[in-house]
Amino acid sequence: ETIGREMAVPELLAAIDADRPFYDQSGGGVTFSGGEPLIQWRFLLAMLEATRAKGYHAAVDTSGYATERTVLRVAAATDLFLYDLKVMDPARHAAFTGVPLAPILRNLRALDAAGAEVWLRLPLVPGHNDDDANLEAVGRFVGGLRRTRRIHVLPYHRIASAKYERLGLANPMSEIASPTTGEIERAVAVLASFDLDVRVGG
């Protein structure tokens, strides 16, 4: 069964234009997310160029898993990256996400060096990446970047469970509880100790 529908650039741009009064009033813009938008980087780049020509603010919500060349090409047409960091240990990252960590960190360094606007996001998942060792590793890495300092802690929640049910799939994280207020505050404190601009949610 196919979910969603294919759209060409003009068709998607027309759908965005239909909401222009909302963007103009709110000061918002367009966010390209997924899945992973960098997988379809040619289409993404065409959309970024089209939205920029119309004066829209454009954000790309990404895991950063792509080639450096792709990331920098997309950066040239992007106003803001919402960039995930999950686990800083390479073996744990591969087990948790299914992809290597090195390209993600390399691309983050490249964006930072290029002067891109990047808001980092740390999905806080109890028992998977909320330990002090991981939080400190995130803090050290981000603290070593030249200009990127903003990081959003995103507490894990079970909202996606309904999507799994609709698709008839088993949710591999169904037994994980959301972090407590104390666990969130501890994570914020650890990250803030590295002189980062730490926010919850967003």
Side-chain angles (χ1 to χ4, degrees):
E1 180 182 347
T2 301
I3 297 176
R5 63 191 178 97
E6 292 187 12
M7 299 177 80
V9 170
E11 187 180 5
L12 182 53
L13 190 60
I16 292 169
D17 283 340
D19 287 332
R20 179 150 208 154
F22 173 75
Y23 306 141
D24 290 343
Q25 185 177 32
S26 68
V30 180
T31 300
F32 296 96
S33 62
E36 174 52 65
L38 295 180
I39 290 174
Q40 300 181 61
W41 69 267
R42 289 180 180 86
F43 181 78
L44 173 63
L45 191 56
M47 283 303 308
L48 288 167
E49 290 168 349
T51 53
R52 174 164 283 185
K54 294 218 169 190
Y56 292 115
H57 181 278
V60 173
D61 183 351
T62 180
S63 70
Y65 184 65
T67 66
E68 183 176 337
R69 181 172 181 265
T70 293
V71 168
L72 291 177
R73 285 185 72 175
V74 168
T78 301
D79 298 301
L80 172 66
F81 283 90
L82 306 174
Y83 200 105
D84 284 359
L85 281 182
K86 298 179 179 80
V87 181
M88 297 301 286
D89 176 76
R92 285 174 63 193
H93 188 278
F96 191 37
T97 69
V99 299
L101 175 63
I104 292 166
L105 299 184
R106 181 190 65 233
N107 289 334
L108 179 52
R109 285 190 193 99
L111 287 173
D112 184 66
E117 184 74 16
V118 180
W119 294 357
L120 296 169
R121 296 166 6 132
L122 174 69
L124 192 68
V125 184
H128 286 76
N129 71 344
D130 64 337
D131 54 283
D132 284 350
N134 186 62
L135 295 170
E136 289 169 3
V138 170
R140 276 193 302 275
F141 182 85
V142 179
L145 296 174
R146 188 158 48 181
R147 69 186 303 270
T148 302
R149 283 289 180 277
R150 181 165 169 170
I151 185 164
H152 292 251
V153 174
L154 307 179
Y156 172 76
H157 54 72
R158 294 179 174 173
I159 291 175
S161 296
K163 293 180 183 178
Y164 279 94
E165 289 175 15
R166 284 196 305 272
L167 295 171
L169 301 173
N171 181 354
M173 299 178 72
S174 61
E175 301 303 315
I176 298 174
S178 297
T180 65
T181 300
E183 289 168 336
I184 296 167
E185 289 174 349
R186 179 178 58 83
V188 168
V190 171
L191 294 169
S193 72
F194 290 90
D195 195 28
L196 304 181
D197 175 9
V198 187
R199 308 180 187 206
V200 176

